[in-house]
Amino acid sequence: MSTTDTTAEIESHEVIVIGAGVCGLYALHKMREMGLDVALLEAGGDLGGTWYWNRYPGARFDSESYSYGYSFDQEILEQWNWTEHFSPQPETLRYLNFVADKLSLRADMQFNARVCAAVFDESAVVWRLMLEDGRELSCHLLLTAIGMLSAATLPQFKGMDNFQGESFHTYQWPQEPVDLAGKKVAVIGTGATGVQLIGEIADKVGELTVYQRRPNWCAPLHNAPIDADTMARIKASYEEIFALCERTPGGFMHEPDRRKLAEVSEEERLALWEELYAAPGFGIWLGNFRDVLIDPEANAEFSEFIAQKIRQRVDDPAVAELLIPKDHGFGSRRVPMETHYYEAFNRDNVTLLDVNKAPIEHITAHGIQTADGERSYDLIVYATGFDAITGAFDRMDFTGVNGQKLADKWRDGPLTYLGMGVSGFPNLLTLAGPQGASVSSNFPPNIEFSVNWAVGLIEYFRAHGYTRMEPTADSEAQWLQEVQAGYEGSLLSTAKSWFTGYNSNVPGHDKLRYLMYLSGSPRYRQRLEAVAQENYGGFSFE
Ligand code: NA7
């Protein structure tokens, strides 16, 4: 039930959740469970968030499906059957719809409801939301679940609008089927998205040209179907699966090997590496010897092991060298998980171009002009990534106390307390937001934790009759130090990628920004639980 703000006759709620992805759906469910008057606003035409938008061929989990599903509802766990170990996008979207239907969430969701601006009205102690369709809504508590990779970024090439064929960013892949058969296709970008897409479409298009700026260290996903018996076994072991995710640093089903490289013989080392290379999922990144992501020498040794794998799999040695990263070690950027990616470059219809040698000059009416000539295409796909983690906030125009803009406050990087709130922006909870642990881990397990924690905070707030809460500036400054400490000693902080806040297509995003809590989900949870036990110390309440 919504109320009406009598002065302006605007729709008003106790709580508004923005975003109908994995986080927003669970947040909506919990707010309803608390008996609050809540509405959810979603920019897309339906629910699903990341899994609604990313419809490009090959889009799928790199997390084991059964570790990505929600853990909170026994009936959902019992009734839902995953059909692949790493679920493809259409199945994941069906799953989220199944969950929403089971929990009857749709009634409180509004679609095609893009929030453009959110202004905190200090006298009324409400957030006023301006929507793209001209509507205004207000709420007492604002919960953002706006995604960490939801602000897609296109490159800034001249002539992009003049291209007469089809072109789009992978995030905006059309809902209707795209006919690829016999088509001349260009893909720009070789991050996790480009790698999934290229591996999937290489044998379905006429010709494929890949424009690569920097290669990534990719590893085989080894996806496989799940038969009925296996699914029954998975269902019987959900408890262990979730317990495992709870104790690993990244919330995945992969635990680091506690040994250091120097502690094992050459033979043992190779045996583990071969085993990891042949095993499904992120084990190769997260289940490796514990110094591989910390010690540059150990990392260099492992990187060379992977380089040899690439050389073995790619027929043309010059192409193989082009696919081997030279500017960063394995795992210091997000490791794209691949299916037939390297083999794609052995096909006669696939060409790899190095844009460092022949930079893209502009997009023409028929194709792409580089320093060494023009190539024509039917379709250009921009797999060029996202203004990660803070982009969705920057695009929404938040105004807090005294007219302060969140985008200004965060110009050099986000400032938050626990990744959950921002000083100067009262009654705003940034669920799964910057500097939290969800953004640096298997998303759903930490989402459930963060939303449950927010529920505790809201209960405390309401039980004490408070009307306004926000983190103190001091607690925010201390949290920044804690977040920064997580970057120390990790090779992750040495590489330029969306993990570290770089995006060549966004002005100003050319330096390290502290976007994530990197000290591990278990520590993050302990830290937040301690804050809850101390009556939410670090927040000020009125
Ligand atoms: P990423 O990982 O940011 O990759 C974007 C890719 O696009 C990357 O290869 C970039 O090269 C390339 N890129 C970006 N702009 C340009 C321009 N202007 N010219 C040439 N190449 C460009 O995004 P993804 O979508 O692949 O993955 C994001 C996450 O989504 C992923 O980690 C998963 O967690 C889900 P660069 O490396 O910057 O040289």
Side-chain angles (χ1 to χ4, degrees):
M1 184 204 74
S2 63
T3 53
T4 304
D5 183 326
T6 46
T7 42
E9 289 290 311
I10 61 170
E11 185 180 328
S12 170
H13 297 273
E14 225 163 339
V15 181
I16 288 183
V17 178
I18 310 179
V22 176
C23 181
L25 294 181
Y26 184 55
L28 174 60
H29 168 61
K30 293 304 283 185
M31 294 304 118
R32 284 168 41 132
E33 215 176 50
M34 288 170 80
L36 298 178
D37 156 37
V38 55
L40 182 149
L41 306 178
E42 163 59 51
D46 208 335
L47 61 84
T50 280
W51 304 106
Y52 170 81
W53 293 103
N54 281 295
R55 294 166 188 254
Y56 62 86
R60 66 173 64 251
F61 290 157
D62 289 335
S63 308
E64 284 72 8
S65 308
Y66 26 93
S67 76
Y68 193 98
Y70 297 109
S71 69
F72 68 90
D73 187 300
Q74 212 50 44
E75 225 174 84
I76 291 172
L77 289 170
E78 272 158 26
Q79 290 177 5
W80 179 258
N81 295 311
W82 296 104
T83 66
E84 297 183 42
H85 284 275
F86 300 91
S87 169
Q89 174 270 335
E91 178 164 319
T92 306
L93 189 56
R94 279 199 296 280
Y95 167 74
L96 293 174
N97 275 280
F98 169 79
V99 172
D101 291 343
K102 283 245 32 123
L103 304 173
S104 311
L105 297 179
R106 277 184 182 274
D108 292 316
M109 292 193 231
Q110 300 180 26
F111 300 115
N112 300 308
R114 183 178 291 278
V115 179
C116 309
V119 180
F120 185 67
D121 177 338
E122 279 194 74
S123 53
V125 198
V126 294
W127 278 96
R128 299 197 180 281
L129 308 184
M130 270 58 82
L131 271 58
E132 198 175 53
D133 62 13
R135 286 189 301 145
E136 187 181 328
L137 281 82
S138 73
C139 59
H140 188 207
L141 292 176
L142 180 59
L143 310 188
T144 55
I146 53 183
M148 57 174 193
L149 295 161
S150 56
T153 47
L154 285 165
Q156 309 294 314
F157 302 129
K158 283 199 185 111
M160 282 168 64
D161 290 342
N162 302 335
F163 181 61
Q164 286 173 6
E166 268 192 292
S167 67
F168 36 78
H169 190 284
T170 43
Y171 190 69
Q172 269 111 24
W173 192 278
Q175 302 213 3
E176 55 281 2
V178 176
D179 182 16
L180 297 171
K183 295 283 163 62
K184 284 206 256 181
V185 179
V187 174
I188 301 175
T190 52
T193 301
V195 166
Q196 286 188 330
L197 175 72
I198 292 160
E200 180 70 24
I201 66 171
D203 64 351
K204 297 179 181 69
V205 299
E207 286 171 30
L208 175 62
T209 308
V210 176
Y211 289 78
Q212 174 185 269
R213 190 164 63 185
R214 284 184 297 163
N216 283 294
W217 294 101
C218 312
L221 178 65
H222 296 302
N223 183 33
I226 298 177
D227 60 26
D229 287 349
T230 310
M231 194 61 224
R233 276 200 300 279
I234 289 169
K235 284 183 184 175
S237 46
Y238 267 133
E239 223 172 284
E240 293 101 271
I241 291 171
F242 295 132
L244 173 60
C245 293
E246 208 172 306
R247 66 172 186 267
T248 60
F252 293 97
M253 294 174 64
H254 303 282
E255 265 183 305
D257 192 307
R258 292 286 155 205
R259 296 169 298 170
K260 282 188 179 175
L261 213 59
E263 291 166 16
V264 299
S265 67
E266 173 89 21
E267 207 181 358
E268 273 180 284
R269 176 186 312 178
L270 283 176
L272 178 68
W273 286 350
E274 290 292 353
E275 191 187 312
L276 290 173
Y277 201 77
F282 274 145
I284 195 144
W285 188 20
L286 308 172
N288 217 313
F289 296 107
R290 71 182 164 101
D291 48 350
V292 162
L293 298 180
I294 297 167
D295 173 31
E297 271 181 42
N299 184 268
E301 281 199 48
F302 185 63
S303 299
E304 185 48 32
F305 171 85
I306 298 290
Q308 285 301 348
K309 291 287 182 199
I310 299 171
R311 291 184 188 113
Q312 283 159 16
R313 289 175 60 185
V314 178
D315 296 343
D316 181 336
V319 174
E321 284 317 305
L322 208 50
L323 288 165
I324 297 172
K326 307 288 190 298
D327 67 333
H328 68 283
F330 181 92
S332 58
R333 302 174 94 202
R334 204 276 204 200
V335 176
M337 301 307 290
E338 50 88 19
T339 305
H340 310 312
Y341 177 64
Y342 291 112
E343 287 71 19
F345 296 98
N346 296 335
R347 298 179 58 85
D348 290 340
N349 68 332
V350 177
T351 307
L352 178 65
L353 296 180
D354 179 0
V355 301
N356 302 295
K357 283 209 184 99
I360 296 174
E361 289 178 345
H362 58 272
I363 307 297
T364 67
H366 303 291
I368 299 177
Q369 174 78 42
T370 64
D372 64 4
E374 182 187 358
R375 287 182 162 79
S376 61
Y377 299 107
D378 301 305
L379 168 63
I380 299 176
V381 182
Y382 297 102
T384 45
F386 299 87
D387 185 0
I389 302 178
T390 49
F393 287 90
D394 288 347
R395 290 184 185 186
M396 214 169 268
D397 192 14
F398 286 86
T399 309
V401 173
N402 296 328
Q404 187 182 25
K405 298 280 186 192
L406 189 64
D408 289 338
K409 175 167 175 152
W410 285 7
R411 195 157 302 283
D412 293 326
L415 287 166
T416 77
Y417 179 46
L418 310 172
M420 293 294 291
V422 186
S423 170
F425 294 79
N427 296 1
L428 168 69
L429 294 179
T430 54
L431 305 174
Q435 299 185 336
S438 337
V439 285
S440 55
S441 65
N442 193 16
F443 205 57
N446 280 308
I447 287 303
E448 287 188 41
F449 172 80
S450 296
V451 171
N452 292 343
W453 189 88
V455 165
L457 173 61
I458 294 169
E459 274 169 353
Y460 176 86
F461 173 76
R462 285 166 54 84
H464 287 79
Y466 296 127
T467 56
R468 182 174 157 152
M469 61 175 163
E470 68 180 291
T472 65
D474 282 353
S475 58
E476 202 170 72
Q478 202 203 321
W479 185 246
L480 178 62
Q481 284 181 14
E482 287 183 50
V483 169
Q484 285 172 338
Y487 282 68
E488 280 160 24
S490 158
L491 291 178
L492 213 83
S493 60
T494 62
K496 292 180 179 175
S497 76
W498 67 265
F499 274 9
T500 40
Y502 288 82
N503 185 319
S504 67
N505 302 312
V506 182
H509 287 191
D510 53 358
K511 54 185 170 300
L512 174 66
R513 290 178 302 136
Y514 295 96
L515 300 180
M516 306 172 169
Y517 183 84
L518 288 179
S519 304
S521 319
R523 190 188 282 199
Y524 181 74
R525 286 195 301 269
Q526 279 165 17
R527 183 71 171 82
L528 265 69
E529 273 159 7
V531 169
Q533 270 159 25
E534 288 157 13
N535 295 328
Y536 300 94
F539 279 87
S540 70
F541 295 95
E542 285 173 25

